[in-house]
Amino acid sequence: QVQLAESGGGLVQAGGSLRLSCVASGNFFSVNEMDWYRQYPGKERELVAAITSNGGTKYADSVKGRFTISKDDAKNTVYLQMNSLKPEDTAVYYCNAAVRPIRQSPVDYDYWGQGTQVTVSS
């Protein structure tokens, strides 16, 4: 069983900053890739940023240069530092993690957090 808990969302004015956190807990062997997605009302969930087990990162073009993803492996935590926020960043942000349940597992399994609301006012 794996649980992902997001925090750090809230209301901020355009140009401001927020830092989202996501903590993985439960019973598992390792957490591998961790991602941040966001979802606008009536739209499909889209990838915002990802970080691999070796620290490689990728970003959506819409956030590149403004958002930074990082992690703390000892805490099984991923962060999303969001700077220069725009009203179009308003969405529910979800944490996703690829988790290996046991050492012998040939595959990882995806888990999702409940989401945290980010609202950017103009």
Side-chain angles (χ1 to χ4, degrees), residues 10-65:
L11 175 64
V12 65
Q13 292 185 356
S17 298
L18 288 172
R19 190 179 77 155
L20 306 183
S21 300
C22 174
V23 180
S25 62
N27 296 315
F28 49 84
F29 176 71
S30 64
V31 177
N32 296 314
E33 181 169 309
M34 299 188 78
D35 310 327
W36 285 100
Y37 287 74
R38 66 185 178 190
Q39 188 167 24
Y40 303 112
K43 301 287 288 186
E44 295 182 352
R45 201 167 294 181
E46 64 181 33
L47 180 67
V48 175
I51 187 165
T52 64
S53 60
N54 66 0
T57 60
K58 62 180 180 181
Y59 299 91
D61 288 341
S62 59
V63 307
K64 193 173 182 64

Side-chain angles (χ1 to χ4, degrees), residues 28-30 32 99-109:
F28 49 84
F29 176 71
S30 64
N32 296 314
V99 177
R100 183 158 297 184
I102 59 174
R103 179 181 177 182
Q104 296 83 2
S105 178
V107 296
D108 296 341
Y109 297 87

